[in-house]
Short mmCIF file of all heavy atoms in Angstrom, two decimals:
data_model
loop_
_atom_site.label_atom_id
_atom_site.label_comp_id
_atom_site.label_asym_id
_atom_site.label_seq_id
_atom_site.Cartn_x
_atom_site.Cartn_y
_atom_site.Cartn_z
N THR A 45 6.31 28.80 -9.40
CA THR A 45 6.80 28.33 -10.76
C THR A 45 7.75 27.28 -10.72
O THR A 45 7.82 26.49 -11.62
CB THR A 45 7.44 29.53 -11.50
OG1 THR A 45 8.45 30.15 -10.52
CG2 THR A 45 6.50 30.67 -11.84
N ARG A 46 8.51 27.09 -9.61
CA ARG A 46 9.48 26.08 -9.64
C ARG A 46 9.16 25.00 -8.54
O ARG A 46 9.79 23.96 -8.56
CB ARG A 46 10.86 26.60 -9.37
CG ARG A 46 11.39 27.70 -10.25
CD ARG A 46 12.73 28.09 -9.92
NE ARG A 46 13.71 27.09 -9.65
CZ ARG A 46 14.28 26.28 -10.43
NH1 ARG A 46 14.15 26.49 -11.73
NH2 ARG A 46 15.08 25.33 -9.98
N ALA A 49 10.43 22.77 -3.27
CA ALA A 49 11.68 21.96 -3.10
C ALA A 49 12.73 22.32 -4.08
O ALA A 49 13.86 22.37 -3.80
CB ALA A 49 11.38 20.39 -3.36
N ALA A 50 12.39 22.77 -5.27
CA ALA A 50 13.33 23.18 -6.23
C ALA A 50 13.88 24.68 -6.20
O ALA A 50 14.59 25.12 -6.96
CB ALA A 50 12.79 22.92 -7.59
N GLN A 133 2.79 19.61 1.28
CA GLN A 133 3.55 18.40 1.66
C GLN A 133 4.91 18.75 2.26
O GLN A 133 5.51 17.85 2.96
CB GLN A 133 3.75 17.51 0.37
CG GLN A 133 4.58 18.27 -0.54
CD GLN A 133 4.78 17.36 -1.91
OE1 GLN A 133 5.31 16.34 -1.83
NE2 GLN A 133 4.28 17.92 -3.02
N TRP A 134 5.50 19.85 1.99
CA TRP A 134 6.79 20.16 2.55
C TRP A 134 6.90 20.76 4.02
O TRP A 134 7.85 20.93 4.48
CB TRP A 134 7.49 21.15 1.60
CG TRP A 134 7.45 20.70 0.18
CD1 TRP A 134 6.80 21.18 -0.91
CD2 TRP A 134 8.29 19.63 -0.33
NE1 TRP A 134 6.84 20.44 -2.04
CE2 TRP A 134 7.94 19.44 -1.66
CE3 TRP A 134 9.19 18.69 0.29
CZ2 TRP A 134 8.50 18.45 -2.48
CZ3 TRP A 134 9.77 17.76 -0.53
CH2 TRP A 134 9.38 17.60 -1.92
N LYS A 170 -26.33 13.59 -5.33
CA LYS A 170 -26.20 12.32 -4.81
C LYS A 170 -25.20 12.13 -3.77
O LYS A 170 -25.32 11.44 -2.75
CB LYS A 170 -25.95 11.30 -5.88
CG LYS A 170 -27.12 10.96 -6.78
CD LYS A 170 -26.69 9.99 -7.77
CE LYS A 170 -27.85 9.64 -8.75
NZ LYS A 170 -27.40 9.07 -10.03
N LEU A 174 -18.41 14.32 -3.15
CA LEU A 174 -17.92 14.20 -4.52
C LEU A 174 -18.29 15.55 -5.19
O LEU A 174 -17.41 15.97 -5.97
CB LEU A 174 -18.58 13.09 -5.19
CG LEU A 174 -17.85 12.32 -6.33
CD1 LEU A 174 -16.46 11.79 -5.75
CD2 LEU A 174 -18.68 11.18 -6.78
N GLU A 181 -12.34 21.63 -7.44
CA GLU A 181 -11.31 21.13 -8.27
C GLU A 181 -11.43 22.05 -9.69
O GLU A 181 -10.53 22.52 -10.23
CB GLU A 181 -11.41 19.75 -8.58
CG GLU A 181 -10.10 19.05 -9.06
CD GLU A 181 -9.10 18.92 -7.95
OE1 GLU A 181 -9.60 18.42 -6.79
OE2 GLU A 181 -7.96 19.39 -8.09
N TRP A 189 -5.08 28.55 -15.96
CA TRP A 189 -5.23 29.16 -17.21
C TRP A 189 -5.66 30.56 -17.25
O TRP A 189 -5.66 31.27 -18.17
CB TRP A 189 -6.09 28.36 -18.11
CG TRP A 189 -7.42 27.96 -17.48
CD1 TRP A 189 -7.86 26.77 -17.01
CD2 TRP A 189 -8.68 28.79 -17.33
NE1 TRP A 189 -9.06 26.86 -16.55
CE2 TRP A 189 -9.59 28.09 -16.65
CE3 TRP A 189 -8.88 30.20 -17.58
CZ2 TRP A 189 -10.90 28.58 -16.27
CZ3 TRP A 189 -10.19 30.67 -17.23
CH2 TRP A 189 -11.16 29.85 -16.58
N TYR A 190 -6.16 31.04 -15.98
CA TYR A 190 -6.58 32.51 -15.97
C TYR A 190 -5.37 33.35 -16.23
O TYR A 190 -4.38 33.30 -15.67
CB TYR A 190 -7.24 32.82 -14.66
CG TYR A 190 -7.62 34.26 -14.60
CD1 TYR A 190 -8.78 34.61 -15.33
CD2 TYR A 190 -6.92 35.14 -13.85
CE1 TYR A 190 -9.14 36.02 -15.21
CE2 TYR A 190 -7.24 36.50 -13.84
CZ TYR A 190 -8.43 36.92 -14.44
OH TYR A 190 -8.79 38.20 -14.42
N ARG A 191 -5.69 34.38 -17.17
CA ARG A 191 -4.73 35.38 -17.23
C ARG A 191 -5.52 36.76 -17.18
O ARG A 191 -6.54 36.92 -17.74
CB ARG A 191 -4.01 35.44 -18.65
CG ARG A 191 -3.26 34.23 -18.91
CD ARG A 191 -1.97 34.08 -18.08
NE ARG A 191 -1.22 32.90 -18.38
CZ ARG A 191 -1.45 31.81 -17.61
NH1 ARG A 191 -2.35 31.74 -16.62
NH2 ARG A 191 -0.73 30.73 -17.86
N GLY A 194 -6.67 38.16 -20.39
CA GLY A 194 -7.29 37.17 -21.31
C GLY A 194 -8.66 37.63 -21.82
O GLY A 194 -9.03 38.83 -21.40
N PRO A 195 -9.21 36.88 -22.64
CA PRO A 195 -10.52 37.27 -23.29
C PRO A 195 -11.65 37.42 -22.46
O PRO A 195 -12.65 38.12 -22.66
CB PRO A 195 -10.68 36.26 -24.38
CG PRO A 195 -9.83 35.16 -23.96
CD PRO A 195 -8.75 35.64 -23.16
N MET A 196 -11.63 36.72 -21.32
CA MET A 196 -12.76 36.77 -20.36
C MET A 196 -12.32 37.57 -19.13
O MET A 196 -11.26 37.35 -18.54
CB MET A 196 -13.08 35.32 -19.90
CG MET A 196 -13.95 34.54 -21.02
SD MET A 196 -14.33 32.94 -20.29
CE MET A 196 -15.96 33.25 -19.61
N ASP A 207 -22.92 29.30 -13.65
CA ASP A 207 -23.77 28.25 -14.43
C ASP A 207 -23.40 26.78 -14.28
O ASP A 207 -24.27 25.96 -13.96
CB ASP A 207 -23.54 28.65 -15.91
CG ASP A 207 -24.37 29.80 -16.34
OD1 ASP A 207 -25.25 30.24 -15.64
OD2 ASP A 207 -24.10 30.36 -17.42
N ASP A 216 -28.42 14.40 -12.15
CA ASP A 216 -28.64 14.29 -13.56
C ASP A 216 -29.89 13.43 -13.78
O ASP A 216 -30.68 13.65 -14.73
CB ASP A 216 -27.58 13.72 -14.29
CG ASP A 216 -27.49 14.26 -15.73
OD1 ASP A 216 -28.19 14.95 -15.97
OD2 ASP A 216 -26.63 13.70 -16.38
N ALA A 222 -32.96 11.76 -22.84
CA ALA A 222 -32.60 12.89 -23.71
C ALA A 222 -33.79 13.59 -24.22
O ALA A 222 -34.71 12.95 -24.60
CB ALA A 222 -31.87 12.27 -24.87
N LEU A 229 -38.82 20.87 -23.63
CA LEU A 229 -37.59 20.67 -23.02
C LEU A 229 -37.66 20.89 -21.58
O LEU A 229 -37.28 21.97 -21.06
CB LEU A 229 -36.54 21.60 -23.65
CG LEU A 229 -35.35 21.06 -24.31
CD1 LEU A 229 -34.46 22.18 -24.83
CD2 LEU A 229 -34.57 20.10 -23.51
N THR B 29 5.44 11.68 -5.40
CA THR B 29 5.34 12.06 -4.13
C THR B 29 6.12 13.23 -3.71
O THR B 29 5.86 14.05 -2.82
CB THR B 29 5.62 10.85 -3.16
OG1 THR B 29 6.92 10.36 -3.42
CG2 THR B 29 4.66 9.77 -3.33
N ARG B 30 7.32 13.37 -4.32
CA ARG B 30 8.27 14.41 -3.90
C ARG B 30 8.39 15.52 -5.03
O ARG B 30 8.98 16.53 -4.79
CB ARG B 30 9.71 13.89 -3.52
CG ARG B 30 9.58 12.86 -2.53
CD ARG B 30 11.03 12.35 -2.33
NE ARG B 30 11.94 13.33 -2.16
CZ ARG B 30 12.17 14.22 -1.15
NH1 ARG B 30 11.56 14.01 -0.12
NH2 ARG B 30 13.15 15.12 -1.18
N ALA B 33 11.76 17.71 -9.31
CA ALA B 33 13.01 18.56 -8.89
C ALA B 33 13.52 18.07 -7.56
O ALA B 33 14.80 18.20 -7.30
CB ALA B 33 12.53 20.05 -8.81
N ALA B 34 12.71 17.65 -6.58
CA ALA B 34 13.10 17.27 -5.24
C ALA B 34 13.60 15.84 -5.26
O ALA B 34 14.02 15.42 -4.16
CB ALA B 34 12.02 17.50 -4.26
N ARG B 88 -22.86 11.53 -26.65
CA ARG B 88 -23.02 11.09 -25.33
C ARG B 88 -22.18 9.81 -24.86
O ARG B 88 -21.53 9.72 -23.94
CB ARG B 88 -24.59 10.69 -25.02
CG ARG B 88 -25.36 11.95 -24.62
CD ARG B 88 -26.83 11.59 -24.77
NE ARG B 88 -27.08 11.14 -26.09
CZ ARG B 88 -28.25 11.22 -26.64
NH1 ARG B 88 -29.22 11.89 -26.04
NH2 ARG B 88 -28.49 10.78 -27.80
N GLN B 117 6.79 20.87 -16.63
CA GLN B 117 7.64 22.08 -16.63
C GLN B 117 9.06 21.82 -16.60
O GLN B 117 9.99 22.63 -16.98
CB GLN B 117 7.24 22.94 -15.44
CG GLN B 117 7.55 22.16 -14.05
CD GLN B 117 7.29 23.06 -12.91
OE1 GLN B 117 7.64 24.16 -12.66
NE2 GLN B 117 6.37 22.46 -12.05
N TRP B 118 9.48 20.56 -16.17
CA TRP B 118 10.93 20.24 -16.01
C TRP B 118 11.64 19.71 -17.30
O TRP B 118 12.70 19.46 -17.39
CB TRP B 118 11.08 19.34 -14.94
CG TRP B 118 10.62 19.81 -13.64
CD1 TRP B 118 9.42 19.32 -13.11
CD2 TRP B 118 10.99 20.88 -12.89
NE1 TRP B 118 9.19 20.10 -11.87
CE2 TRP B 118 10.19 21.04 -11.77
CE3 TRP B 118 12.10 21.75 -13.00
CZ2 TRP B 118 10.31 22.10 -10.80
CZ3 TRP B 118 12.30 22.74 -11.98
CH2 TRP B 118 11.44 22.90 -10.88
N LYS B 154 -22.25 26.93 -23.17
CA LYS B 154 -21.91 28.35 -23.57
C LYS B 154 -20.52 28.32 -24.13
O LYS B 154 -20.18 28.97 -25.11
CB LYS B 154 -22.21 29.28 -22.48
CG LYS B 154 -23.63 29.64 -22.12
CD LYS B 154 -23.61 30.58 -20.91
CE LYS B 154 -25.13 30.90 -20.65
NZ LYS B 154 -25.20 31.50 -19.31
N LEU B 158 -14.18 26.20 -21.78
CA LEU B 158 -14.39 26.21 -20.34
C LEU B 158 -14.94 24.93 -19.76
O LEU B 158 -14.46 24.45 -18.69
CB LEU B 158 -15.28 27.50 -20.02
CG LEU B 158 -15.06 28.06 -18.66
CD1 LEU B 158 -13.65 28.71 -18.56
CD2 LEU B 158 -16.00 29.31 -18.44
N GLU B 165 -10.52 18.82 -15.24
CA GLU B 165 -10.10 19.23 -14.03
C GLU B 165 -10.78 18.44 -12.93
O GLU B 165 -10.18 17.90 -11.88
CB GLU B 165 -10.30 20.79 -13.81
CG GLU B 165 -9.32 21.41 -12.86
CD GLU B 165 -7.95 21.51 -13.46
OE1 GLU B 165 -7.84 22.05 -14.58
OE2 GLU B 165 -6.99 21.18 -12.74
N ALA B 188 -20.81 8.12 -11.04
CA ALA B 188 -21.05 9.45 -10.35
C ALA B 188 -20.49 10.56 -11.21
O ALA B 188 -21.14 11.64 -11.47
CB ALA B 188 -20.43 9.45 -8.94
N ASP B 191 -22.84 11.28 -14.11
CA ASP B 191 -23.90 12.16 -13.68
C ASP B 191 -23.50 13.67 -13.80
O ASP B 191 -24.16 14.59 -14.37
CB ASP B 191 -24.42 11.83 -12.24
CG ASP B 191 -25.31 10.62 -12.28
OD1 ASP B 191 -25.81 10.25 -13.44
OD2 ASP B 191 -25.57 10.10 -11.15
N MET B 192 -22.35 13.78 -13.12
CA MET B 192 -21.85 15.27 -13.08
C MET B 192 -21.44 15.84 -14.38
O MET B 192 -21.75 16.98 -14.78
CB MET B 192 -20.60 15.38 -12.05
CG MET B 192 -21.07 15.01 -10.65
SD MET B 192 -19.79 15.43 -9.35
CE MET B 192 -18.42 14.37 -9.80
N PHE B 194 -22.78 15.03 -17.37
CA PHE B 194 -23.90 15.29 -18.16
C PHE B 194 -24.67 16.41 -17.66
O PHE B 194 -25.30 17.11 -18.40
CB PHE B 194 -24.73 14.11 -18.40
CG PHE B 194 -24.10 13.07 -19.36
CD1 PHE B 194 -23.82 11.81 -18.97
CD2 PHE B 194 -23.74 13.45 -20.63
CE1 PHE B 194 -23.28 10.85 -19.81
CE2 PHE B 194 -23.08 12.62 -21.47
CZ PHE B 194 -22.97 11.22 -21.11
N LEU B 196 -23.14 18.96 -16.39
CA LEU B 196 -22.35 20.23 -16.81
C LEU B 196 -22.62 20.47 -18.21
O LEU B 196 -22.43 21.55 -18.80
CB LEU B 196 -20.92 19.86 -16.62
CG LEU B 196 -20.15 20.39 -15.26
CD1 LEU B 196 -18.77 20.12 -15.36
CD2 LEU B 196 -20.50 21.84 -15.11
N PRO B 207 -34.67 25.00 -27.62
CA PRO B 207 -33.92 25.45 -28.72
C PRO B 207 -34.69 24.89 -30.00
O PRO B 207 -35.34 23.80 -30.12
CB PRO B 207 -32.64 24.56 -28.69
CG PRO B 207 -32.93 23.35 -27.86
CD PRO B 207 -34.13 23.79 -26.86
N PRO B 221 -10.31 29.06 -23.37
CA PRO B 221 -11.55 29.61 -22.72
C PRO B 221 -11.52 31.03 -22.47
O PRO B 221 -12.49 31.74 -22.29
CB PRO B 221 -11.50 28.99 -21.25
CG PRO B 221 -10.07 28.58 -21.05
CD PRO B 221 -9.46 28.37 -22.39
N GLN B 222 -10.38 31.69 -22.55
CA GLN B 222 -10.26 33.08 -22.37
C GLN B 222 -10.21 33.83 -23.59
O GLN B 222 -9.27 33.72 -24.35
CB GLN B 222 -9.05 33.41 -21.59
CG GLN B 222 -8.94 32.80 -20.26
CD GLN B 222 -8.55 33.80 -19.36
OE1 GLN B 222 -8.87 34.91 -19.48
NE2 GLN B 222 -7.85 33.41 -18.34
#
Side-chain angles (χ1 to χ4, degrees):
Chain A
T45 51
R46 304 180 42 81
Q133 60 180 303
W134 304 109
K170 286 180 180 162
L174 212 55
E181 208 71 50
W189 49 258
Y190 176 76
R191 299 290 176 272
M196 286 181 88
D207 280 347
D216 212 1
L229 241 184
Chain B
T29 52
R30 305 180 41 81
R88 272 168 305 213
Q117 60 180 305
W118 303 108
K154 286 179 179 162
L158 210 57
E165 207 72 50
D191 279 347
M192 296 197 288
F194 287 123
L196 267 183
Q222 298 226 35

